[in-house]
Amino acid sequence: MDIEETPVLDNHLHLDPVQGRNTEAAEEFADHGGTHLLVLNKPSWHLVEAATDEGTFREAFDLTVGAVADATEVLPGRAWPVLGVHPALVSKLVEDGYTPDEARDIMQTGLDVASEYVTDGPALAIKSGRPHYEVDEAVWDASNEVMCHAFELAADGGFAVQLHTEGGEDFEQVTEWAEERGMDRQQVVKHYSGGRLQGPTKSVLADKDELEIAIEEDEPFLMETDFIDDPERPGAVLGPKTVPRRVRWLLENGEDEAVRLAHVETPKAVYGIDTEGTLSR
């Protein structure tokens, strides 16, 4: 199979319509063979301010929805928004004088708003998680409550949750929390995953070594760059062309089935999207 014959999805990429490359980055992705994008809103303080109420969350989400509409115009497939609250917001809020419980309530409000964008359109899924850095027990507990609130919303709405968390390979407990709240475990997605993971569906950072591990594990997986669209860090985390390049490399090495798993079958199972049916080259 040639790259021209398959959808190519980046499962986690940011576009910054305020100060980033924005649509230009989507064009670069498409120019190298990319077809579909899941675009995550950047942390609110990069777009508007550290969101503290429904209005500021909506402002940040609306910017991302607009960026996604513009990206879809330049893709042979389409883009979808994934909206939510970056787990580091808890630290921003606590630094600004809120208690951990108050920060939790603000962040849960943001997730309530994000879930409306999914149930009413145009968003596909929500994002939550917990800090990937060391925090005190009260902040950690509040963060886990925020994440579990996301699971409750996703269970009620029947949609997926992308998680931003600490590193590691064992997230079985987190997945069990989601199942206890009524979620299908395959709709719990660990963003920035390595090739080996227990619990959630893995969204593997497009590193050759980790992709090889993911293929050996023979489990559903997605591919991502976590491109952050920051003009001061132009290639961070990975550039927009990386997923198409890795797909080309996989196909050259005869990994057609793995490409289909990551770009057709797993997106359909997790999000209910048809990357083939929405593709026109």
Side-chain angles (χ1 to χ4, degrees):
M1 179 168 42
D2 184 87
I3 194 170
E4 299 298 327
E5 301 172 58
T6 180
V8 176
L9 169 73
D10 189 331
N11 183 65
H12 189 109
L13 169 145
H14 301 278
L15 295 176
D16 188 334
V18 176
Q19 58 184 2
R21 294 177 61 203
N22 201 30
T23 310
E24 181 187 326
E27 289 176 330
E28 181 178 302
F29 171 73
D31 287 345
H32 285 79
T35 63
H36 294 77
L37 291 172
L38 265 57
V39 180
L40 284 286
N41 61 283
K42 291 187 72 170
S44 57
W45 57 93
H46 289 286
L47 297 175
V48 286
E49 56 186 290
T52 56
D53 56 29
E54 182 177 326
T56 44
F57 281 116
R58 286 191 187 278
E59 188 178 353
F61 296 159
D62 286 343
L63 284 167
T64 299
V65 169
V68 168
D70 291 340
T72 293
E73 291 295 318
V74 302
L75 294 174
R78 60 162 297 181
W80 290 271
V82 175
L83 304 176
V85 182
H86 195 285
L89 180 59
V90 69
S91 299
K92 291 274 187 186
L93 293 170
V94 170
E95 288 170 6
D96 287 343
Y98 293 91
T99 67
D101 285 351
E102 289 169 337
R104 173 202 63 205
D105 292 346
I106 289 169
M107 294 171 73
Q108 289 180 344
T109 295
L111 290 171
D112 291 342
V113 174
S115 72
E116 290 178 22
Y117 281 71
V118 182
T119 55
D120 300 338
L124 181 66
I126 63 174
K127 168 188 172 177
S128 187
R130 59 192 185 192
H132 59 278
Y133 49 88
E134 190 170 336
V135 295
D136 65 35
E137 185 175 356
V139 170
W140 184 252
D141 290 344
S143 298
N144 279 321
E145 289 176 28
V146 171
M147 181 170 60
C148 287
H149 185 65
F151 296 152
E152 292 169 0
L153 293 168
D156 288 343
F159 51 79
V161 178
Q162 284 201 24
L163 295 180
H164 176 117
T165 71
E166 74 279 11
E169 294 183 357
D170 186 358
F171 288 85
E172 184 62 33
Q173 181 186 59
V174 169
T175 311
E176 289 173 0
W177 290 346
E179 288 184 312
E180 287 166 4
R181 287 157 179 82
M183 279 195 75
D184 180 339
R185 69 163 43 216
Q186 72 180 344
Q187 290 191 294
V188 183
V189 179
K190 170 73 170 73
H191 141 67
Y192 208 99
S193 176
R196 190 175 290 110
L197 188 72
Q198 286 180 262
T201 298
K202 50 201 166 196
S203 182
V204 181
L205 196 67
D207 170 86
K208 288 184 177 181
D209 291 342
E210 296 300 337
L211 290 171
E212 287 176 338
I213 293 170
I215 292 168
E216 289 171 8
E217 292 290 297
D218 195 26
E219 297 169 342
F221 73 100
L222 299 151
M223 291 171 61
E224 68 167 76
T225 57
D226 192 24
F227 174 66
I228 64 172
D229 200 11
D230 182 345
E232 295 184 5
R233 301 172 62 199
V237 171
L238 296 173
K241 64 183 77 170
T242 310
V243 165
R245 283 180 166 175
R246 295 294 180 263
V247 168
R248 198 179 302 274
W249 168 73
L250 289 170
L251 294 174
E252 288 169 353
N253 285 277
E255 298 289 358
D256 297 35
E257 289 185 12
V259 169
R260 182 169 182 81
L261 179 63
H263 298 274
V264 178
E265 295 172 5
T266 305
K268 184 173 184 179
V270 172
Y271 303 111
I273 57 176
D274 181 358
T275 54
E276 290 180 312
T278 52
L279 177 60
S280 60
R281 292 196 192 263

